[in-house]
Every structure is written in structure tokens, then in C-alpha cells.
Amino acid sequence: MRQILFSVVFLSSYCFSQESDSLHLNQSKKIDSAKVLSKKEIKTRDIDDVVITGTLKPISKSKSPVNVEIYTQKFFQKNPTPSIFEAISMVNGVKPQLNCSVCNTGDIHINGLEGPYTMILIDGMPIVSSLSTVYGLSGIPNSLVDRIEVVKGPASSIYGSEAMGGVINIITKNALTAPRLSVDLMTTSWAENNVDLSTKFNFGKNVASLLSLNYFNSTKRFDENKDNFTDAALQSRISVFNKWNFVRKENRLASFALRYLYEDRFGGEMQWNRSYRGSDQVYGESIYTNRVEAFGVYQWPMKENIVTQFSYNFHDQDSFYGNNPFLATQKVAFTQTYWDKKLGNHDLVLGATFKKTFYDDNTPGTMSSDGLQNEPMKSPIFGAFIQDQWEVNEKNTLLLGYRFDYDKIHHSVHSPRFAWKFSPNPYHTLRFNFGTGFRVVNLFTEDHAALTGSREVVIKDNLKPERSINGNLNYVWKIPAGGRLINLDASAFYTYFSNKIVGDFDADPQKIIYDNLNGYGISRGASMNVDFSFSFPLSVNLGVTYLDVYQKFDGETGKSRQLHAPKWSGTYSLTYKFKNNLAIDFTGQFYGPMRLPVLPNDYRPEYSPFYNLANIQVSKSFNSGFEVYCGVKNLFNFTPKDPLMRPFDPFDNNVNDPINNPNHYTFDTTYGYAPMQRIRGFLGVKYNLK
């Protein structure tokens, strides 16, 4: 892991992945911090990292005014998982949050902000958003990943809505440089079976196609806490991915990709079977998901650097939460064209975007005001942006950016940003970023508690788009130590939210009431990561994040803590490599107390305990291309207590029983804050043919 850390930023990077495909990593100049360097080399050589995109074009991290964290596939292989959703927990300050203890739906939190504030990109395209954040994240297999960029902080000046908390850009493998054959088979003692297969085809010297198949199956039921509910959702999932890369004159960009996902997911009472789907006899949450994605990039065949990017996704969900049906369809089309022009010390980018979202479901959210006819949401948004990256001198770089969006409901939205980088020498880099973010919300696609029917959703008044103002200070210090480098990366951030849309879980246990906050919201904190390799074959990565996330209501003296936002959290990764290609990885995450959604007079604690999720892996690679690995997940065997309220009465048949239920508790699935899977072993084998 290199230059890993946190910095809250307003970055941009729609085209990163495609440009990365063209340049690829072997064309970037870099010095691996884990490599032994002589003191003379450290003093005389430029200390640089892999080529990245922080400003809509490839640029070395050391020169970028925007801080971006980069994670390669090998980093995530230290704790093998079947999907990105689980793997991303290894990133400091990023938390995959389980929002339902029955079907295990989840989203990704960055610096304590809820999932709808995080934009998930695949190859720079806004593929995963809205409805797909509920279940689509689990359907992105690690086998597709070449590397991942993480940007923490508002990025609306380039990405528009849904990027208020940060951006996670999943960069898929380049078909031109991918292995001819790649196989990864893994199973666990909880009967989780994962198969990753990929192969590439060359059509002459200028065209290559990558075909990837992922199959995940977990159908054995476990109930270790004896509440008669499955501890983990059962899943049967298949993902097929096909990407085409083209070699063109003057290294012009051209790629196109397709992906299909199908998932059958169930969580509920142990005796449930398909005959009970939608009934009120045995409780089960059953979700069928069909999803198609297409995305690509094309650089125009002309002297000027003009690039067009496009994406389309179709998402269909057929689900029952107990006897409550939820049927939804979403279609999102996106296109962007930008012009990159170098003028002396200025690098200008000028672009325009168009995004159209179609959304329909069977809830009152898509009904007419009189409730007599269905009115699907059709939301076109036009955008234009400009930015200027100005290299003032060798030590100072400035970036000025501005974005304008027009939405038929919210009309004009303006998003400026400013970034400054100061590097007095190759060992010290200081970055300051300032900017704004905004978010347009469709609650019915974002809140799982609204979908399950366990709580009624109430939307008060006309919701205004959320706005935020953010400042971030990032410091990177590369410390020479005995011929090696200690990488220290630290950030402090502060975000002020106005018109913040909040869900009131406390006023009525039967409802979630949404409204613009009469007051303001604050997200502030600090992060630090340290990366060091010893003279003996041990490398260590440690990270810690402090968060203070809350809302302040007008007329009240106190403040309301953000749900599922621990004040302290951290990650760790220790790797020891032996001479015979044997390696041991010890990885994990720890979380301090976080506020949970409790019911009135709830006997369960309002704050979770401190807990640690640790994993250990032993792997052995062979010259033939094979690798064998095994290990233990959740080494300390931690699981939450009482994740479900009244699991013996999931249909609330006896909620008003004054003797057996004097507090009128209702069945509730939102209290869980960590996976219910206990300690378990895993075993796998890989093969790569280059």
C-alpha cells in the first residue's frame, strides 16, 4: 500500500480509469516506499508515486493539488473477500455499513457521512447510485479491480450531486495488459463459495477483450445467536463483465464495457421457504435483482484533446419484506464531454454533462398528489464545469474550479472550489482544499428502512437540495529512515451542511420523518496513516480517524450525534514475507462507540461497544503461477448483541399486548452495526497465466 490516506477533497476524476488504461501503471514513474533505497538515492532522487488523476487528467500524486488515496488489488488480497463492499473496510475512514440485520443491505460511509453522500464510480462513470446503492455494491466482485481511488470530501464541482461525502472510483482491469487467464476459487467454513474466472482475447495488435465471470453462493443457514433468524443473508449471485480496449494513434483513448448482475438474496426466519414469499405466516426478506451496465470513453480523432464519456444502467428489483412488496425500476443515462488545453503554466479543462434518471416503484413516492395515477420520476440534470490548474512555480500549484448545474425542480446550483499545493522539497507536501457540495435526494431509493416497511416514511414539506461548505488541510511527510521511507499522511477536515436532510427515528417508532434540518450539520475530524517497511521483511500500515459528526437544531442547546459514526476508528495491516514466497497477513478494523437507532424505552444500549474485526491469512505463491491461501476471519469472534427487536413477533401481531409488551416495542431491523458472522475459516487457490 502506498501513499494511503485521508484527505477530504473536492476532486474530480471521471476519466481517470480510461486514461489509466491508456497510460497504465508501467508507464508511470514511481518509487515504492517498501523498496530499499540508499541514503544517497533518497536525497537525490525525486520521490514520486504512481500516475493518478486528480483533476480530470493523469498527473503524478506529488504534483496533484488534490489528495487521492490509491489502493491496488494486491492490497485488498491481504484479506480476500467476494465483493468490493466488504473489501473497502480496509480503507481508513471508510466504513461499509450494514443497515438491516435481516437482508444485510448496506452502503458505504466516508468520514461518518451516510451512504447517499458517497458516489461510487466504475471506470470514472457514475454507475452505482440511488437504488443500486442498496444491493448493487455487493455485486461488484474484486476480480474486476485493477485499483481503487478514494477521495474524501465534497466533489460536486466535478461530479455534481451524490458526491457530497466523497468518491470511490473502481478502476477495472485493462484488457490490453490483463493476464491471459486468471482463476480465483475460495470457500469458507460458513459455506460461502466464490468463483472468479477471467480470460482475455487479442484481435490483432490493436484490439483486446477481457471476459470475466464471478459466481458467489452462500445458501447454508446459520443461527448462532438463537433468535430464529438467519445470521447472514443467503445469496446466490452471478456477474458477467466484458471490456474492450483499443490501441489508437497518438495513444488516444477508446474503451467500452458491459456488465450484467443477477442476485437472489434472502434473510429471515429459519423455517422460511419460497412458498412463504409475500405471506404473513413466516417472515422473510426476499430480493431478486437484475442489473445491466454499459460504459465507455472515446477521444476524438483531432489535434485538440477532446474526450467523450458515457454510461447507462438499468436496475430492476423485485422484493418482499415480510408481506410488503417493493417493486422498483431505475434507468440512468449519463454523458460527458470535456476539452483539455495546455496554455503555458495553465492547464484548462472545460466540460459539459447531461444525466437523466428514470425511477418508478410501487410506493406512494411515485404516485400523483391525488393518489389516482402512477407518476415515475424523470429527472434530467444539465451541467457545465471549468477548471484551471496553474503551476505557479516548482513549489506551488493552484487549482480553481466552478460547476453549474440546472435541475427542473431545484433550478440553478453553483459549486466552486479552490485547491493549493505547496511542496518545498520531495519529502514534504501541504495541500489545502476549499469548496462546496450539493445533493438532490430521492429518499425512496436510498433508505432501506423505508423499503422494508418496518417503518413508515413521512416527508415533510418540499425538500430543498442539501448544500455544504468544506475545508481540508492535508500534510504528507516522507521520512528517510535507514535507507527506507516512512510515509506519514495526515488530514484535518471541516464540513458545514445547510438544508441538511435528516431522518427522525426517535419521534415515532413506527415512522422515519424526513425534513430539511432547522439548523445545521457539522462533520469534522482528523485522520492519520503511517506506512513503513522494516529492514527485515515486515511492512506495517496503521491508520486512525477521529470524527465529530452531528446536527444542531435551532432553538436547542444540545446536538444530535450522527447515527453509525464512531468517534474513533482505525485500520491495521501487517505483512511478513518469508524467502520461500510464503507470506502472513494480519489485518483488521477497530471501531469506537457509535450512536444506534434505538426505540423509546429501549433496553438495548444507545451506543455500541468498542469492537475489533481482525483477520489472519497465510499465503504461498509458486513460480508456476499458482497461489494457495488460507486463514481465519473475525479472529476475536465479535458479533453484536440483540440486533433484532422482537424477532418472535416480526409481523407485530402482539405489539399492543399490555402484559407481554408494556413498552409497545415493534419488530425492528435497524439496530445492527456489524456483521453477525462469527469466527470462520477460509481456503482458496489462485492461478494466473500471463
Side-chain angles (χ1 to χ4, degrees), residues 386-404:
I386 184 172
Q387 70 176 24
D388 176 21
Q389 182 172 315
W390 176 25
E391 293 188 14
V392 180
N393 51 46
E394 291 184 356
K395 298 181 179 180
N396 291 275
T397 301
L398 295 178
L399 185 143
L400 299 172
Y402 170 78
R403 180 184 178 102
F404 171 81

Side-chain angles (χ1 to χ4, degrees), residues 476-489:
V476 177
W477 184 14
K478 296 178 181 289
I479 309 170
R484 296 173 178 269
L485 292 175
I486 300 175
N487 292 327
L488 185 150
D489 195 337

Side-chain angles (χ1 to χ4, degrees), residues 103 131 147 180 297 307 317 609:
C103 67
L131 185 63
R147 53 190 278 169
R180 284 187 291 170
V297 60
V307 176
Q317 183 172 319

